[in-house]
């Protein structure tokens, strides 16, 4: 499943973004209002695709970006107009409030990448799957199948 996390202290903005992602894309969306909530989401959800991260969350540590980059596939900084991040490390940025088009485009890109990876895996299984499955089956079980 493709999951988008909106980490924003403003409840209205967080809910607006979640609603847009859920209504207009096949991705799921979760929200976090503070750094502890964000880390809890990252602990509980095995594969977060995108985190829209607002640095003004409550309780943010100094190394927040490096922690996020180590735990997620993609981080997008959401900043107020004219605000500059202290250390962006070449991360993509967008202004707050996040435009509907940006949310939809990034969430759909996440889903399309996931589908492409699944399609590649299925092609590999079609080419090599039977041999791999047979190799996992012990010889005596294969022989019993042949007798039946």
């Amino acid at each position: 499943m493709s999951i988008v996390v909106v980490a924003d202290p403003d409840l209205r903005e967080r809910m607006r973004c979640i609603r847009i992602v859920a209504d207009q894309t096949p991705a799921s969306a979760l929200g976090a209002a503070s750094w502890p909530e964000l880390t809890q989401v990252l602990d509980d959800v095995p594969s977060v695709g995108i985190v829209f991260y607002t640095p003004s969350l409550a309780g943010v540590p100094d190394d927040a970006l490096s922690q996020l980059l180590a735990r997620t596939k993609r981080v997008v900084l959401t900043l107020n107009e004219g605000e500059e991040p202290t250390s962006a490390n070449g991360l993509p940025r967008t202004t707050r409030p996040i435009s509907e088009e940006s949310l939809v485009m990034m969430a759909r890109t996440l889903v399309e990448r996931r589908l492409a990876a699944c399609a590649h895996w299925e092609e590999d299984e079609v080419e090599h799957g039977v041999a791999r499955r047979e190799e996992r089956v012990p010889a005596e079980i294969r022989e019993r199948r042949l007798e039946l």
Side-chain angles (χ1 to χ4, degrees), residues 24-85:
Q24 297 184 33
T25 73
S28 296
L30 298 169
S34 65
W35 181 258
E37 285 183 17
L38 178 56
T39 56
Q40 183 67 44
V41 167
L42 295 175
D43 289 341
D44 292 345
V45 179
S47 60
V48 171
I50 300 176
V51 174
F52 288 95
Y53 169 69
T54 304
S56 61
L57 286 176
V60 173
D62 293 336
D63 64 341
L65 284 177
S66 61
Q67 287 185 38
L68 284 175
L69 290 170
R71 299 176 73 181
T72 62
K73 296 175 186 168
R74 187 169 181 198
V75 176
V76 178
L77 289 175
T78 58
L79 305 168
N80 292 320
E81 189 71 39
E83 184 180 7
E84 287 296 320

Coordinates of all heavy atoms in Angstrom, one line a residue, residues 24-85:
Q24 N -8.6 11.7 -4.2 CA -8.2 11.8 -5.6 C -7.0 10.9 -6.1 O -6.6 10.9 -7.2 CB -7.7 13.3 -5.9 CG -8.9 14.3 -5.7 CD -8.5 15.7 -6.1 OE1 -7.7 15.9 -7.0 NE2 -9.1 16.6 -5.5
T25 N -6.6 10.1 -5.2 CA -5.5 9.1 -5.5 C -5.8 7.8 -4.9 O -6.6 7.7 -3.9 CB -4.1 9.6 -5.0 OG1 -4.1 9.5 -3.6 CG2 -3.8 11.1 -5.4
P26 N -5.1 6.7 -5.3 CA -5.3 5.4 -4.7 C -4.4 5.3 -3.4 O -4.4 4.2 -2.8 CB -4.9 4.4 -5.8 CG -4.2 5.2 -6.8 CD -4.5 6.6 -6.6
A27 N -3.7 6.3 -3.1 CA -2.8 6.2 -1.9 C -3.7 6.5 -0.6 O -4.8 7.0 -0.6 CB -1.7 7.3 -2.0
S28 N -3.1 6.0 0.5 CA -3.7 6.3 1.8 C -2.9 7.4 2.4 O -1.8 7.6 2.1 CB -3.6 5.0 2.7 OG -4.4 4.0 2.2
A29 N -3.6 8.1 3.4 CA -2.9 9.3 4.0 C -3.1 9.3 5.5 O -4.2 8.9 6.0 CB -3.5 10.6 3.4
L30 N -2.1 9.7 6.2 CA -2.1 9.8 7.6 C -1.6 11.2 8.0 O -0.9 11.8 7.2 CB -1.2 8.8 8.3 CG -1.6 7.3 8.1 CD1 -0.5 6.4 8.6 CD2 -2.9 7.0 8.8
G31 N -2.0 11.7 9.2 CA -1.5 13.0 9.6 C -0.7 12.9 10.9 O -0.9 12.0 11.7
A32 N 0.1 13.9 11.1 CA 0.9 14.0 12.4 C 1.0 15.5 12.8 O 1.3 16.3 11.9 CB 2.3 13.4 12.2
A33 N 0.6 15.8 14.0 CA 0.6 17.2 14.5 C 1.9 17.6 15.2 O 2.1 18.8 15.4 CB -0.6 17.4 15.4
S34 N 2.7 16.6 15.6 CA 3.9 16.9 16.3 C 5.0 15.9 16.0 O 4.7 14.9 15.3 CB 3.7 16.8 17.8 OG 3.3 15.5 18.2
W35 N 6.2 16.1 16.4 CA 7.3 15.2 16.1 C 7.1 13.8 16.8 O 7.3 12.8 16.1 CB 8.7 15.8 16.6 CG 9.8 14.9 16.3 CD1 10.4 14.0 17.2 CD2 10.4 14.6 15.0 NE1 11.4 13.3 16.5 CE2 11.4 13.6 15.2 CE3 10.1 15.1 13.7 CZ2 12.1 13.2 14.2 CZ3 10.9 14.6 12.7 CH2 11.9 13.7 12.9
P36 N 6.6 13.8 18.0 CA 6.3 12.4 18.6 C 5.3 11.7 17.8 O 5.4 10.5 17.6 CB 5.9 12.7 20.0 CG 6.5 14.0 20.4 CD 6.5 14.8 19.1
E37 N 4.2 12.4 17.3 CA 3.2 11.7 16.5 C 3.8 11.2 15.2 O 3.5 10.1 14.7 CB 2.0 12.7 16.2 CG 1.1 12.9 17.3 CD -0.1 13.7 17.0 OE1 -0.4 13.9 15.8 OE2 -0.7 14.3 17.9
L38 N 4.7 12.0 14.6 CA 5.3 11.6 13.3 C 6.2 10.4 13.5 O 6.1 9.4 12.7 CB 6.1 12.8 12.8 CG 6.9 12.5 11.5 CD1 6.0 12.0 10.4 CD2 7.6 13.7 11.0
T39 N 7.0 10.3 14.6 CA 7.8 9.2 14.8 C 7.0 7.9 15.1 O 7.3 6.8 14.8 CB 8.8 9.4 15.9 OG1 8.2 9.8 17.1 CG2 9.9 10.5 15.5
Q40 N 5.8 8.1 15.8 CA 4.9 7.0 16.1 C 4.4 6.5 14.8 O 4.3 5.2 14.6 CB 3.8 7.5 17.0 CG 2.9 6.4 17.4 CD 3.5 5.3 18.3 OE1 4.3 5.7 19.2 NE2 3.3 4.1 18.1
V41 N 4.0 7.3 13.9 CA 3.5 6.9 12.6 C 4.6 6.1 11.8 O 4.3 5.0 11.3 CB 3.0 8.1 11.7 CG1 2.8 7.6 10.3 CG2 1.7 8.6 12.3
L42 N 5.8 6.6 11.9 CA 6.9 5.9 11.2 C 7.2 4.6 11.8 O 7.6 3.7 11.1 CB 8.1 6.8 11.1 CG 7.9 8.1 10.3 CD1 9.2 9.0 10.4 CD2 7.6 7.8 8.8
D43 N 7.0 4.5 13.1 CA 7.3 3.2 13.8 C 6.2 2.2 13.5 O 6.5 1.0 13.3 CB 7.3 3.4 15.3 CG 8.5 4.1 15.8 OD1 9.5 4.2 15.1 OD2 8.5 4.7 16.9
D44 N 4.9 2.7 13.4 CA 3.8 1.8 13.2 C 3.6 1.4 11.7 O 3.0 0.3 11.5 CB 2.5 2.4 13.7 CG 2.5 2.5 15.2 OD1 3.4 1.9 15.9 OD2 1.7 3.3 15.8
V45 N 3.9 2.2 10.8 CA 3.7 1.9 9.4 C 5.0 1.5 8.7 O 5.9 2.2 8.7 CB 3.1 3.2 8.7 CG1 2.8 2.9 7.2 CG2 1.8 3.7 9.4
P46 N 5.0 0.3 8.2 CA 6.2 -0.3 7.6 C 6.8 0.5 6.4 O 8.0 0.5 6.3 CB 5.9 -1.7 7.3 CG 4.4 -1.7 7.1 CD 3.9 -0.6 8.0
S47 N 6.0 1.0 5.5 CA 6.5 1.6 4.3 C 5.8 2.9 4.0 O 4.8 2.9 3.2 CB 6.5 0.6 3.2 OG 5.1 0.3 2.9
V48 N 6.3 4.0 4.5 CA 5.8 5.3 4.2 C 6.4 5.7 2.9 O 7.6 5.7 2.8 CB 6.0 6.3 5.3 CG1 5.7 7.7 4.9 CG2 5.2 5.9 6.6
G49 N 5.6 6.1 1.9 CA 6.2 6.6 0.6 C 6.6 8.0 0.6 O 7.7 8.3 0.1
I50 N 5.8 8.9 1.1 CA 6.1 10.3 1.1 C 5.7 10.9 2.5 O 4.7 10.6 3.0 CB 5.4 11.1 0.0 CG1 5.7 10.6 -1.4 CG2 5.7 12.6 0.1 CD1 4.9 11.3 -2.4
V51 N 6.6 11.8 3.0 CA 6.3 12.6 4.2 C 6.3 14.1 3.7 O 7.4 14.5 3.3 CB 7.3 12.4 5.3 CG1 7.0 13.3 6.5 CG2 7.2 10.9 5.8
F52 N 5.2 14.7 3.8 CA 5.2 16.2 3.7 C 5.4 16.8 5.1 O 4.6 16.7 6.0 CB 3.8 16.7 3.2 CG 3.5 16.3 1.7 CD1 2.8 15.1 1.4 CD2 4.0 17.1 0.7 CE1 2.6 14.8 0.1 CE2 3.8 16.8 -0.6 CZ 3.1 15.6 -0.9
Y53 N 6.7 17.3 5.2 CA 7.2 17.7 6.5 C 7.3 19.2 6.7 O 7.9 19.9 5.9 CB 8.6 17.0 6.7 CG 9.3 17.5 7.9 CD1 8.9 17.2 9.2 CD2 10.5 18.3 7.8 CE1 9.6 17.7 10.3 CE2 11.2 18.7 8.8 CZ 10.7 18.4 10.1 OH 11.4 18.9 11.2
T54 N 6.6 19.7 7.7 CA 6.7 21.1 8.1 C 7.6 21.2 9.3 O 7.4 20.6 10.4 CB 5.3 21.6 8.5 OG1 4.4 21.4 7.4 CG2 5.3 23.1 8.8
P55 N 8.8 21.9 9.2 CA 9.7 22.0 10.2 C 9.2 22.6 11.5 O 9.9 22.5 12.6 CB 10.9 22.8 9.6 CG 10.7 22.7 8.2 CD 9.3 22.5 7.9
S56 N 8.1 23.3 11.5 CA 7.6 24.0 12.7 C 6.8 23.1 13.6 O 6.1 23.6 14.5 CB 6.8 25.2 12.3 OG 5.7 24.8 11.5
L57 N 6.9 21.8 13.4 CA 6.2 20.8 14.3 C 6.7 21.0 15.7 O 7.9 21.3 15.9 CB 6.4 19.4 13.8 CG 5.7 18.9 12.6 CD1 6.2 17.4 12.3 CD2 4.2 18.9 12.8
A58 N 5.9 20.7 16.7 CA 6.3 20.8 18.1 C 7.2 19.6 18.4 O 7.0 18.5 17.9 CB 5.1 20.7 19.0
G59 N 8.3 19.9 19.1 CA 9.2 18.8 19.6 C 10.2 18.3 18.5 O 10.8 17.2 18.7
V60 N 10.5 19.1 17.5 CA 11.4 18.6 16.4 C 12.8 18.7 16.9 O 13.3 19.7 17.4 CB 11.2 19.5 15.2 CG1 12.2 19.2 14.1 CG2 9.8 19.4 14.6
P61 N 13.6 17.6 16.8 CA 15.0 17.6 17.2 C 15.9 18.3 16.1 O 15.4 18.6 15.0 CB 15.4 16.1 17.3 CG 14.4 15.5 16.4 CD 13.2 16.3 16.4
D62 N 17.1 18.6 16.4 CA 18.0 19.3 15.5 C 18.3 18.4 14.3 O 18.5 19.0 13.2 CB 19.3 19.7 16.2 CG 19.1 20.7 17.3 OD1 18.1 21.5 17.2 OD2 19.9 20.8 18.2
D63 N 18.3 17.1 14.4 CA 18.7 16.2 13.3 C 17.4 15.6 12.7 O 17.5 14.5 12.2 CB 19.6 15.2 13.8 CG 19.0 14.2 14.8 OD1 18.0 14.6 15.4 OD2 19.5 13.1 15.0
A64 N 16.3 16.3 12.7 CA 15.0 15.8 12.2 C 15.1 15.3 10.8 O 14.6 14.2 10.4 CB 13.9 16.8 12.4
L65 N 15.7 16.1 9.9 CA 15.8 15.8 8.5 C 16.6 14.5 8.3 O 16.2 13.6 7.5 CB 16.3 16.9 7.7 CG 15.4 18.1 7.4 CD1 16.1 19.2 6.6 CD2 14.1 17.6 6.6
S66 N 17.7 14.4 8.9 CA 18.5 13.1 8.8 C 17.7 11.9 9.3 O 17.8 10.8 8.7 CB 19.8 13.3 9.4 OG 19.7 13.5 10.8
Q67 N 17.0 12.1 10.4 CA 16.2 11.0 10.9 C 15.1 10.6 9.9 O 14.8 9.4 9.7 CB 15.5 11.3 12.2 CG 16.5 11.4 13.4 CD 15.8 11.6 14.7 OE1 14.7 11.1 14.9 NE2 16.4 12.4 15.6
L68 N 14.4 11.6 9.3 CA 13.4 11.3 8.4 C 13.9 10.6 7.1 O 13.3 9.7 6.6 CB 12.6 12.6 8.0 CG 11.7 13.2 9.0 CD1 11.1 14.5 8.5 CD2 10.5 12.2 9.2
L69 N 15.0 11.1 6.6 CA 15.6 10.6 5.4 C 16.0 9.1 5.6 O 16.0 8.3 4.7 CB 16.8 11.4 4.9 CG 16.4 12.8 4.4 CD1 17.6 13.7 4.2 CD2 15.6 12.6 3.1
A70 N 16.4 8.8 6.8 CA 16.8 7.4 7.1 C 15.6 6.5 7.2 O 15.8 5.3 7.0 CB 17.6 7.4 8.4
R71 N 14.4 7.0 7.5 CA 13.3 6.2 7.7 C 12.2 6.2 6.6 O 11.2 5.4 6.7 CB 12.6 6.6 9.0 CG 13.6 6.4 10.2 CD 13.0 6.9 11.5 NE 12.0 6.0 11.9 CZ 11.3 6.2 13.0 NH1 11.5 7.3 13.7 NH2 10.3 5.3 13.4
T72 N 12.3 7.1 5.7 CA 11.3 7.2 4.6 C 11.9 7.2 3.3 O 13.1 7.5 3.1 CB 10.4 8.4 4.8 OG1 11.2 9.6 4.7 CG2 9.7 8.5 6.1
K73 N 11.1 6.9 2.3 CA 11.5 6.9 0.9 C 11.7 8.4 0.3 O 12.6 8.6 -0.4 CB 10.6 6.2 0.0 CG 10.5 4.7 0.4 CD 9.4 4.0 -0.4 CE 9.3 2.6 0.1 NZ 8.1 1.9 -0.4
R74 N 10.8 9.3 0.7 CA 10.8 10.6 0.2 C 10.3 11.6 1.2 O 9.3 11.4 1.8 CB 10.0 10.6 -1.1 CG 10.1 11.9 -1.8 CD 9.4 11.8 -3.2 NE 9.5 13.0 -3.9 CZ 8.8 13.3 -4.9 NH1 7.9 12.5 -5.4 NH2 8.9 14.4 -5.6
V75 N 11.0 12.7 1.3 CA 10.6 13.8 2.2 C 10.4 15.1 1.4 O 11.3 15.4 0.6 CB 11.6 14.0 3.3 CG1 11.2 15.2 4.2 CG2 11.8 12.8 4.2
V76 N 9.3 15.7 1.6 CA 9.0 17.0 0.9 C 8.9 18.1 2.0 O 8.0 17.9 2.8 CB 7.8 17.0 0.0 CG1 7.5 18.3 -0.6 CG2 7.9 15.9 -1.1
L77 N 9.7 19.1 2.0 CA 9.6 20.2 2.9 C 8.4 21.1 2.6 O 8.3 21.5 1.4 CB 10.8 21.0 3.0 CG 12.1 20.4 3.6 CD1 13.3 21.3 3.4 CD2 11.8 20.0 5.0
T78 N 7.6 21.4 3.5 CA 6.5 22.4 3.3 C 6.8 23.6 4.2 O 6.9 23.5 5.4 CB 5.1 21.7 3.7 OG1 5.2 21.3 5.1 CG2 4.8 20.5 2.8
L79 N 7.0 24.7 3.5 CA 7.4 25.9 4.2 C 6.5 27.1 3.9 O 5.8 27.1 2.9 CB 8.8 26.3 3.7 CG 9.9 25.3 3.8 CD1 11.1 25.7 3.0 CD2 10.3 25.1 5.2
N80 N 6.4 28.0 4.8 CA 5.6 29.2 4.6 C 6.3 30.1 3.5 O 7.5 30.0 3.3 CB 5.5 30.0 5.9 CG 4.6 29.3 6.9 OD1 3.6 28.7 6.6 ND2 5.0 29.3 8.2
E81 N 5.5 30.9 2.9 CA 6.0 31.8 1.9 C 7.2 32.6 2.4 O 7.1 33.2 3.5 CB 4.9 32.8 1.4 CG 5.3 33.6 0.2 CD 5.4 32.7 -1.1 OE1 4.5 31.8 -1.2 OE2 6.3 33.0 -1.9
G82 N 8.4 32.6 1.8 CA 9.5 33.3 2.2 C 10.4 32.7 3.2 O 11.5 33.1 3.5
E83 N 9.9 31.6 3.8 CA 10.7 30.9 4.8 C 11.8 30.0 4.1 O 11.5 29.4 3.1 CB 9.7 29.9 5.6 CG 10.4 29.2 6.7 CD 9.4 28.3 7.4 OE1 8.2 28.2 7.0 OE2 9.8 27.7 8.5
E84 N 13.0 30.0 4.7 CA 14.1 29.2 4.2 C 14.4 28.2 5.2 O 14.5 28.4 6.4 CB 15.3 30.1 3.9 CG 15.1 31.0 2.7 CD 15.0 30.2 1.4 OE1 15.7 29.2 1.2 OE2 14.2 30.6 0.5
P85 N 14.6 26.9 4.7 CA 15.0 25.9 5.7 C 16.5 26.1 6.2 O 17.3 26.6 5.4 CB 14.9 24.6 4.9 CG 15.1 25.0 3.5 CD 14.6 26.4 3.4

